[in-house]
PDB file of all heavy atoms in Angstrom:
ATOM      1  N   THR A 171    -162.609 103.418  38.887  1.00 97.00           N
ATOM      2  CA  THR A 171    -163.832 104.163  39.301  1.00 97.00           C
ATOM      3  C   THR A 171    -163.488 105.492  39.861  1.00 97.00           C
ATOM      4  O   THR A 171    -162.256 105.726  40.203  1.00 97.00           O
ATOM      5  CB  THR A 171    -164.469 103.275  40.450  1.00 97.00           C
ATOM      6  OG1 THR A 171    -163.655 103.132  41.630  1.00 97.00           O
ATOM      7  CG2 THR A 171    -164.943 101.889  40.077  1.00 97.00           C
ATOM      8  N   SER A 172    -164.511 106.431  40.042  1.00 96.00           N
ATOM      9  CA  SER A 172    -164.202 107.677  40.420  1.00 96.00           C
ATOM     10  C   SER A 172    -163.942 107.840  41.968  1.00 96.00           C
ATOM     11  O   SER A 172    -162.874 108.190  42.388  1.00 96.00           O
ATOM     12  CB  SER A 172    -165.288 108.626  40.066  1.00 96.00           C
ATOM     13  OG  SER A 172    -165.115 109.997  40.490  1.00 96.00           O
ATOM     14  N   MET A 173    -165.034 107.549  42.705  1.00 96.00           N
ATOM     15  CA  MET A 173    -164.933 107.631  44.156  1.00 96.00           C
ATOM     16  C   MET A 173    -165.629 106.490  44.849  1.00 96.00           C
ATOM     17  O   MET A 173    -166.879 106.231  44.515  1.00 96.00           O
ATOM     18  CB  MET A 173    -165.733 108.908  44.550  1.00 96.00           C
ATOM     19  CG  MET A 173    -164.990 110.212  44.238  1.00 96.00           C
ATOM     20  SD  MET A 173    -163.532 110.521  45.336  1.00 96.00           S
ATOM     21  CE  MET A 173    -164.290 110.938  46.927  1.00 96.00           C
ATOM     22  N   PRO A 174    -164.867 105.755  45.652  1.00 97.00           N
ATOM     23  CA  PRO A 174    -163.551 105.662  45.847  1.00 97.00           C
ATOM     24  C   PRO A 174    -162.817 105.200  44.429  1.00 97.00           C
ATOM     25  O   PRO A 174    -163.522 104.734  43.478  1.00 97.00           O
ATOM     26  CB  PRO A 174    -163.369 104.508  46.811  1.00 97.00           C
ATOM     27  CG  PRO A 174    -164.718 104.280  47.444  1.00 97.00           C
ATOM     28  CD  PRO A 174    -165.580 104.553  46.494  1.00 97.00           C
ATOM     29  N   GLY A 175    -161.546 105.450  44.293  1.00 97.00           N
ATOM     30  CA  GLY A 175    -160.834 105.207  43.110  1.00 97.00           C
ATOM     31  C   GLY A 175    -160.157 103.898  43.165  1.00 97.00           C
ATOM     32  O   GLY A 175    -159.158 103.770  43.864  1.00 97.00           O
ATOM     33  N   TYR A 176    -160.507 102.897  42.255  1.00 97.00           N
ATOM     34  CA  TYR A 176    -159.876 101.775  42.275  1.00 97.00           C
ATOM     35  C   TYR A 176    -160.068 101.072  40.883  1.00 97.00           C
ATOM     36  O   TYR A 176    -161.034 101.404  40.170  1.00 97.00           O
ATOM     37  CB  TYR A 176    -160.555 100.731  43.321  1.00 97.00           C
ATOM     38  CG  TYR A 176    -161.899 100.451  43.096  1.00 97.00           C
ATOM     39  CD1 TYR A 176    -162.452  99.377  42.408  1.00 97.00           C
ATOM     40  CD2 TYR A 176    -162.815 101.235  43.856  1.00 97.00           C
ATOM     41  CE1 TYR A 176    -163.727  99.059  42.323  1.00 97.00           C
ATOM     42  CE2 TYR A 176    -164.319 101.081  43.849  1.00 97.00           C
ATOM     43  CZ  TYR A 176    -164.709  99.900  43.044  1.00 97.00           C
ATOM     44  OH  TYR A 176    -166.044  99.614  42.866  1.00 97.00           O
ATOM     45  N   VAL A 177    -159.055 100.171  40.553  1.00 98.00           N
ATOM     46  CA  VAL A 177    -159.024  99.459  39.283  1.00 98.00           C
ATOM     47  C   VAL A 177    -160.089  98.367  39.146  1.00 98.00           C
ATOM     48  O   VAL A 177    -160.058  97.412  40.080  1.00 98.00           O
ATOM     49  CB  VAL A 177    -157.614  99.039  38.792  1.00 98.00           C
ATOM     50  CG1 VAL A 177    -157.658  98.429  37.512  1.00 98.00           C
ATOM     51  CG2 VAL A 177    -156.695 100.243  38.973  1.00 98.00           C
ATOM     52  N   THR A 178    -160.931  98.320  38.244  1.00 97.00           N
ATOM     53  CA  THR A 178    -161.857  97.162  38.052  1.00 97.00           C
ATOM     54  C   THR A 178    -161.166  96.073  37.175  1.00 97.00           C
ATOM     55  O   THR A 178    -160.302  96.403  36.349  1.00 97.00           O
ATOM     56  CB  THR A 178    -163.192  97.652  37.415  1.00 97.00           C
ATOM     57  OG1 THR A 178    -162.915  98.107  36.109  1.00 97.00           O
ATOM     58  CG2 THR A 178    -163.787  98.806  38.208  1.00 97.00           C
ATOM     59  N   PRO A 179    -161.815  94.911  37.000  1.00 98.00           N
ATOM     60  CA  PRO A 179    -161.279  93.941  36.027  1.00 98.00           C
ATOM     61  C   PRO A 179    -161.734  94.326  34.608  1.00 98.00           C
ATOM     62  O   PRO A 179    -162.404  93.469  34.029  1.00 98.00           O
ATOM     63  CB  PRO A 179    -161.791  92.619  36.602  1.00 98.00           C
ATOM     64  CG  PRO A 179    -163.085  93.043  37.237  1.00 98.00           C
ATOM     65  CD  PRO A 179    -162.791  94.286  37.848  1.00 98.00           C
ATOM     66  N   PHE A 180    -161.413  95.447  34.046  1.00 98.00           N
ATOM     67  CA  PHE A 180    -162.006  95.961  32.858  1.00 98.00           C
ATOM     68  C   PHE A 180    -161.647  94.878  31.552  1.00 98.00           C
ATOM     69  O   PHE A 180    -162.550  94.743  30.775  1.00 98.00           O
ATOM     70  CB  PHE A 180    -161.528  97.409  32.606  1.00 98.00           C
ATOM     71  CG  PHE A 180    -160.049  97.440  32.405  1.00 98.00           C
ATOM     72  CD1 PHE A 180    -159.467  97.434  31.117  1.00 98.00           C
ATOM     73  CD2 PHE A 180    -159.342  97.597  33.519  1.00 98.00           C
ATOM     74  CE1 PHE A 180    -158.139  97.606  30.979  1.00 98.00           C
ATOM     75  CE2 PHE A 180    -157.729  97.833  33.290  1.00 98.00           C
ATOM     76  CZ  PHE A 180    -157.277  97.758  32.060  1.00 98.00           C
ATOM     77  N   GLU A 181    -160.459  94.455  31.709  1.00 98.00           N
ATOM     78  CA  GLU A 181    -160.136  93.473  30.457  1.00 98.00           C
ATOM     79  C   GLU A 181    -161.024  92.237  30.471  1.00 98.00           C
ATOM     80  O   GLU A 181    -161.602  91.793  29.414  1.00 98.00           O
ATOM     81  CB  GLU A 181    -158.614  93.195  30.706  1.00 98.00           C
ATOM     82  CG  GLU A 181    -157.754  94.235  30.387  1.00 98.00           C
ATOM     83  CD  GLU A 181    -156.285  94.098  30.925  1.00 98.00           C
ATOM     84  OE1 GLU A 181    -156.050  93.493  31.869  1.00 98.00           O
ATOM     85  OE2 GLU A 181    -155.424  94.392  29.959  1.00 98.00           O
ATOM     86  N   ALA A 182    -161.220  91.728  31.759  1.00 98.00           N
ATOM     87  CA  ALA A 182    -161.980  90.494  31.767  1.00 98.00           C
ATOM     88  C   ALA A 182    -163.558  90.838  31.417  1.00 98.00           C
ATOM     89  O   ALA A 182    -164.314  90.059  30.866  1.00 98.00           O
ATOM     90  CB  ALA A 182    -161.960  89.855  33.177  1.00 98.00           C
ATOM     91  N   LEU A 183    -163.905  91.907  31.859  1.00 98.00           N
ATOM     92  CA  LEU A 183    -165.414  92.495  31.628  1.00 98.00           C
ATOM     93  C   LEU A 183    -165.519  92.558  30.103  1.00 98.00           C
ATOM     94  O   LEU A 183    -166.604  92.338  29.475  1.00 98.00           O
ATOM     95  CB  LEU A 183    -165.642  93.680  32.391  1.00 98.00           C
ATOM     96  CG  LEU A 183    -165.643  93.664  33.872  1.00 98.00           C
ATOM     97  CD1 LEU A 183    -165.825  94.895  34.639  1.00 98.00           C
ATOM     98  CD2 LEU A 183    -166.822  92.548  34.316  1.00 98.00           C
ATOM     99  N   VAL A 184    -164.649  93.154  29.497  1.00 98.00           N
ATOM    100  CA  VAL A 184    -164.637  93.385  27.916  1.00 98.00           C
ATOM    101  C   VAL A 184    -164.744  91.986  27.251  1.00 98.00           C
ATOM    102  O   VAL A 184    -165.517  91.801  26.275  1.00 98.00           O
ATOM    103  CB  VAL A 184    -163.496  94.269  27.389  1.00 98.00           C
ATOM    104  CG1 VAL A 184    -163.327  94.186  25.821  1.00 98.00           C
ATOM    105  CG2 VAL A 184    -163.522  95.707  27.844  1.00 98.00           C
ATOM    106  N   LYS A 185    -163.990  91.120  27.809  1.00 98.00           N
ATOM    107  CA  LYS A 185    -163.970  89.681  27.150  1.00 98.00           C
ATOM    108  C   LYS A 185    -165.354  89.133  27.397  1.00 98.00           C
ATOM    109  O   LYS A 185    -165.911  88.374  26.390  1.00 98.00           O
ATOM    110  CB  LYS A 185    -163.030  88.856  27.777  1.00 98.00           C
ATOM    111  CG  LYS A 185    -162.930  87.457  27.197  1.00 98.00           C
ATOM    112  CD  LYS A 185    -161.752  86.552  27.839  1.00 98.00           C
ATOM    113  CE  LYS A 185    -161.610  85.191  27.114  1.00 98.00           C
ATOM    114  NZ  LYS A 185    -162.925  84.498  27.077  1.00 98.00           N
ATOM    115  N   VAL A 186    -166.009  89.326  28.500  1.00 98.00           N
ATOM    116  CA  VAL A 186    -167.406  88.770  28.681  1.00 98.00           C
ATOM    117  C   VAL A 186    -168.277  89.397  27.686  1.00 98.00           C
ATOM    118  O   VAL A 186    -169.208  88.705  27.177  1.00 98.00           O
ATOM    119  CB  VAL A 186    -167.897  89.002  30.115  1.00 98.00           C
ATOM    120  CG1 VAL A 186    -169.317  88.819  30.314  1.00 98.00           C
ATOM    121  CG2 VAL A 186    -167.063  88.351  31.200  1.00 98.00           C
ATOM    122  N   CYS A 187    -168.048  90.721  27.408  1.00 98.00           N
ATOM    123  CA  CYS A 187    -168.975  91.388  26.361  1.00 98.00           C
ATOM    124  C   CYS A 187    -168.824  90.730  25.051  1.00 98.00           C
ATOM    125  O   CYS A 187    -169.849  90.431  24.337  1.00 98.00           O
ATOM    126  CB  CYS A 187    -168.638  92.859  26.338  1.00 98.00           C
ATOM    127  SG  CYS A 187    -169.038  93.858  27.626  1.00 98.00           S
ATOM    128  N   LYS A 188    -167.501  90.476  24.681  1.00 98.00           N
ATOM    129  CA  LYS A 188    -167.301  89.804  23.377  1.00 98.00           C
ATOM    130  C   LYS A 188    -167.754  88.374  23.418  1.00 98.00           C
ATOM    131  O   LYS A 188    -168.307  88.147  22.171  1.00 98.00           O
ATOM    132  CB  LYS A 188    -165.808  89.788  23.225  1.00 98.00           C
ATOM    133  CG  LYS A 188    -165.152  91.171  22.828  1.00 98.00           C
ATOM    134  CD  LYS A 188    -163.727  91.036  22.313  1.00 98.00           C
ATOM    135  CE  LYS A 188    -163.256  92.457  22.072  1.00 98.00           C
ATOM    136  NZ  LYS A 188    -164.006  93.097  20.953  1.00 98.00           N
ATOM    137  N   ASP A 189    -167.801  87.715  24.415  1.00 98.00           N
ATOM    138  CA  ASP A 189    -168.341  86.330  24.308  1.00 98.00           C
ATOM    139  C   ASP A 189    -169.787  86.190  24.260  1.00 98.00           C
ATOM    140  O   ASP A 189    -170.280  85.273  23.875  1.00 98.00           O
ATOM    141  CB  ASP A 189    -167.774  85.658  25.699  1.00 98.00           C
ATOM    142  CG  ASP A 189    -166.361  85.300  25.647  1.00 98.00           C
ATOM    143  OD1 ASP A 189    -165.687  85.408  24.537  1.00 98.00           O
ATOM    144  OD2 ASP A 189    -165.764  85.128  26.729  1.00 98.00           O
ATOM    145  N   ASN A 190    -170.405  87.381  24.656  1.00 98.00           N
ATOM    146  CA  ASN A 190    -171.872  87.430  24.648  1.00 98.00           C
ATOM    147  C   ASN A 190    -172.493  88.466  23.601  1.00 98.00           C
ATOM    148  O   ASN A 190    -173.663  88.789  23.689  1.00 98.00           O
ATOM    149  CB  ASN A 190    -172.409  87.844  25.962  1.00 98.00           C
ATOM    150  CG  ASN A 190    -172.057  86.607  26.924  1.00 98.00           C
ATOM    151  OD1 ASN A 190    -172.865  85.776  27.102  1.00 98.00           O
ATOM    152  ND2 ASN A 190    -170.983  86.795  27.701  1.00 98.00           N
ATOM    153  N   ASP A 191    -171.617  88.857  22.644  1.00 98.00           N
ATOM    154  CA  ASP A 191    -172.194  89.788  21.502  1.00 98.00           C
ATOM    155  C   ASP A 191    -172.692  91.082  22.131  1.00 98.00           C
ATOM    156  O   ASP A 191    -173.739  91.476  21.791  1.00 98.00           O
ATOM    157  CB  ASP A 191    -173.164  89.084  20.690  1.00 98.00           C
ATOM    158  CG  ASP A 191    -173.289  89.800  19.285  1.00 98.00           C
ATOM    159  OD1 ASP A 191    -172.329  90.512  18.988  1.00 98.00           O
ATOM    160  OD2 ASP A 191    -174.326  89.658  18.758  1.00 98.00           O
ATOM    161  N   VAL A 192    -172.027  91.586  23.123  1.00 98.00           N
ATOM    162  CA  VAL A 192    -172.384  92.810  23.828  1.00 98.00           C
ATOM    163  C   VAL A 192    -171.378  93.947  23.573  1.00 98.00           C
ATOM    164  O   VAL A 192    -170.227  93.730  23.507  1.00 98.00           O
ATOM    165  CB  VAL A 192    -172.505  92.650  25.406  1.00 98.00           C
ATOM    166  CG1 VAL A 192    -172.776  94.001  26.136  1.00 98.00           C
ATOM    167  CG2 VAL A 192    -173.570  91.660  25.744  1.00 98.00           C
ATOM    168  N   ILE A 193    -171.883  95.078  23.050  1.00 99.00           N
ATOM    169  CA  ILE A 193    -171.039  96.176  22.797  1.00 99.00           C
ATOM    170  C   ILE A 193    -170.256  96.694  24.040  1.00 99.00           C
ATOM    171  O   ILE A 193    -171.067  96.944  25.010  1.00 99.00           O
ATOM    172  CB  ILE A 193    -171.906  97.326  22.130  1.00 99.00           C
ATOM    173  CG1 ILE A 193    -172.501  96.960  20.650  1.00 99.00           C
ATOM    174  CG2 ILE A 193    -170.841  98.546  21.934  1.00 99.00           C
ATOM    175  CD1 ILE A 193    -173.434  97.929  20.264  1.00 99.00           C
ATOM    176  N   SER A 194    -168.992  96.817  24.057  1.00 98.00           N
ATOM    177  CA  SER A 194    -168.311  97.286  25.260  1.00 98.00           C
ATOM    178  C   SER A 194    -167.977  98.678  25.190  1.00 98.00           C
ATOM    179  O   SER A 194    -167.467  99.161  24.089  1.00 98.00           O
ATOM    180  CB  SER A 194    -167.106  96.351  25.511  1.00 98.00           C
ATOM    181  OG  SER A 194    -166.215  96.383  24.498  1.00 98.00           O
ATOM    182  N   PHE A 195    -168.196  99.507  26.166  1.00 98.00           N
ATOM    183  CA  PHE A 195    -167.744 100.864  26.388  1.00 98.00           C
ATOM    184  C   PHE A 195    -167.193 101.135  27.593  1.00 98.00           C
ATOM    185  O   PHE A 195    -167.728 101.150  28.560  1.00 98.00           O
ATOM    186  CB  PHE A 195    -168.995 101.892  26.054  1.00 98.00           C
ATOM    187  CG  PHE A 195    -168.607 103.278  25.960  1.00 98.00           C
ATOM    188  CD1 PHE A 195    -169.527 104.199  25.198  1.00 98.00           C
ATOM    189  CD2 PHE A 195    -167.410 103.839  26.251  1.00 98.00           C
ATOM    190  CE1 PHE A 195    -169.266 105.461  24.973  1.00 98.00           C
ATOM    191  CE2 PHE A 195    -166.998 105.072  25.949  1.00 98.00           C
ATOM    192  CZ  PHE A 195    -168.014 105.991  25.355  1.00 98.00           C
ATOM    193  N   VAL A 196    -165.828 101.407  27.539  1.00 98.00           N
ATOM    194  CA  VAL A 196    -164.910 101.400  28.645  1.00 98.00           C
ATOM    195  C   VAL A 196    -164.624 102.951  28.907  1.00 98.00           C
ATOM    196  O   VAL A 196    -164.057 103.668  28.070  1.00 98.00           O
ATOM    197  CB  VAL A 196    -163.587 100.663  28.526  1.00 98.00           C
ATOM    198  CG1 VAL A 196    -162.639 100.892  29.726  1.00 98.00           C
ATOM    199  CG2 VAL A 196    -163.882  99.274  28.299  1.00 98.00           C
ATOM    200  N   ASP A 197    -165.031 103.461  30.102  1.00 98.00           N
ATOM    201  CA  ASP A 197    -164.726 104.732  30.617  1.00 98.00           C
ATOM    202  C   ASP A 197    -163.351 104.702  31.195  1.00 98.00           C
ATOM    203  O   ASP A 197    -163.251 104.212  32.301  1.00 98.00           O
ATOM    204  CB  ASP A 197    -165.729 105.370  31.554  1.00 98.00           C
ATOM    205  CG  ASP A 197    -165.494 106.717  31.982  1.00 98.00           C
ATOM    206  OD1 ASP A 197    -164.493 107.241  31.806  1.00 98.00           O
ATOM    207  OD2 ASP A 197    -166.334 107.262  32.649  1.00 98.00           O
ATOM    208  N   GLY A 198    -162.327 105.219  30.529  1.00 98.00           N
ATOM    209  CA  GLY A 198    -160.932 105.115  31.026  1.00 98.00           C
ATOM    210  C   GLY A 198    -160.512 106.513  31.423  1.00 98.00           C
ATOM    211  O   GLY A 198    -159.209 106.827  31.181  1.00 98.00           O
ATOM    212  N   ALA A 199    -161.345 107.200  31.981  1.00 97.00           N
ATOM    213  CA  ALA A 199    -160.937 108.699  32.389  1.00 97.00           C
ATOM    214  C   ALA A 199    -159.550 108.730  33.098  1.00 97.00           C
ATOM    215  O   ALA A 199    -158.774 109.636  32.943  1.00 97.00           O
ATOM    216  CB  ALA A 199    -162.146 109.445  33.135  1.00 97.00           C
TER     217      ALA A 199
END
Side-chain angles (χ1 to χ4, degrees):
T171 60
S172 175
M173 290 285 288
Y176 58 91
V177 181
T178 70
F180 61 94
E181 294 168 312
L183 295 172
V184 169
K185 183 178 186 304
V186 172
C187 286
K188 290 193 175 299
D189 291 344
N190 290 275
D191 199 26
V192 172
I193 299 170
S194 60
F195 194 156
V196 178
D197 179 353

